[in-house]
Amino acid sequence: MTTQLISTPTPTRTYPLVEFFHSLQGEGAFSGVNAFFIRLAGCTVGCPWCDQKETWSAKRSPRVALADITQLAADARPGIVVVTGGEPLMHDLDPLAQSLHQHNLRCHLETSGAYPISGTWDWITLSPKSFKPPLSNNYAQIQELKVIIAHPDDFQWAEAQAAQVAPEIPKYLQPEWSQPQSQTWIFDYILQNPQWRLSLQTHKYLGVR
């Protein structure tokens, strides 16, 4: 079955923008880094515990011109720009990544990997979901694997995902925020499986975006 991407012609390129904000990256390898977030609308993965369900429908968010999005990011002068969602790869991200790079911005992508990777990125975080697994070609293109743990059975899924990436790729287990017990599960698991690291949503503990 052919995957259909949401696209518009490059000269008049727009993206459905849920929000943008300047904060610190709260998760994974770049936790604590000055970051400007671009959250795009549209997602078909449908995680039941998703904390951004308002992003699922691209029709609910205004379409913002590529030039305006780029200028917002450039004006913030961040350490990194993080393009996230929703599932950002539902859109053709080549123009967005190119435009950001033209402003000398370091570009990061956060994705479930369920759609083909578009755009050229300095860092790609793959957060695979069993509800809509990553495309097989995407595993070789990532720099970081981050698996959400909401149930003890998720460790089996995490190991299956880890087997798809290169050994040197940093591998994170992240507690599902609404399931406090997952922190204990992960703590105990990493003590027995040192190839994994812990990722916490530190921005939520700090009470910031």
Side-chain angles (χ1 to χ4, degrees), residues 27-45:
E27 307 172 5
F30 283 80
S31 180
V33 172
N34 177 332
F36 186 84
F37 290 84
I38 298 170
R39 188 181 303 282
L40 301 180
C43 186
T44 60
V45 179

Side-chain angles (χ1 to χ4, degrees), residues 60-183:
R60 296 180 180 178
S61 297
R63 299 196 69 93
V64 179
L66 170 61
D68 292 337
I69 295 174
T70 303
Q71 194 60 55
L72 288 168
D75 288 346
R77 301 176 62 188
I80 59 175
V81 175
V82 181
V83 178
T84 185
E87 175 42 67
L89 287 178
M90 287 183 65
H91 310 279
D92 177 8
L93 299 180
D94 283 325
L96 178 57
Q98 182 180 7
S99 182
L100 292 170
H101 277 130
Q102 287 174 347
H103 284 71
N104 298 315
L105 295 168
R106 181 178 175 86
C107 303
H108 290 207
L109 174 67
E110 295 187 353
T111 177
S112 70
Y115 289 82
I117 292 175
S118 57
T120 300
W121 305 94
D122 299 295
W123 189 268
I124 298 177
T125 298
L126 177 67
S127 184
K129 308 301 191 299
S130 59
F131 318 107
K132 194 176 180 69
L135 301 180
S136 58
N137 292 339
N138 288 345
Y139 290 102
Q141 302 182 61
I142 71 165
Q143 285 73 46
E144 176 183 30
L145 177 68
K146 182 178 67 181
V147 182
I148 309 301
I149 302 297
H151 188 275
D153 291 345
D154 293 333
F155 291 110
Q156 184 176 357
W157 165 254
E159 292 295 350
Q161 297 306 293
Q164 303 295 317
V165 304
E168 65 271 15
I169 295 295
K171 304 168 185 66
Y172 289 88
L173 299 173
Q174 182 166 296
E176 198 280 295
W177 182 258
S178 65
Q179 175 55 274
Q181 193 174 357
S182 62
Q183 296 183 32

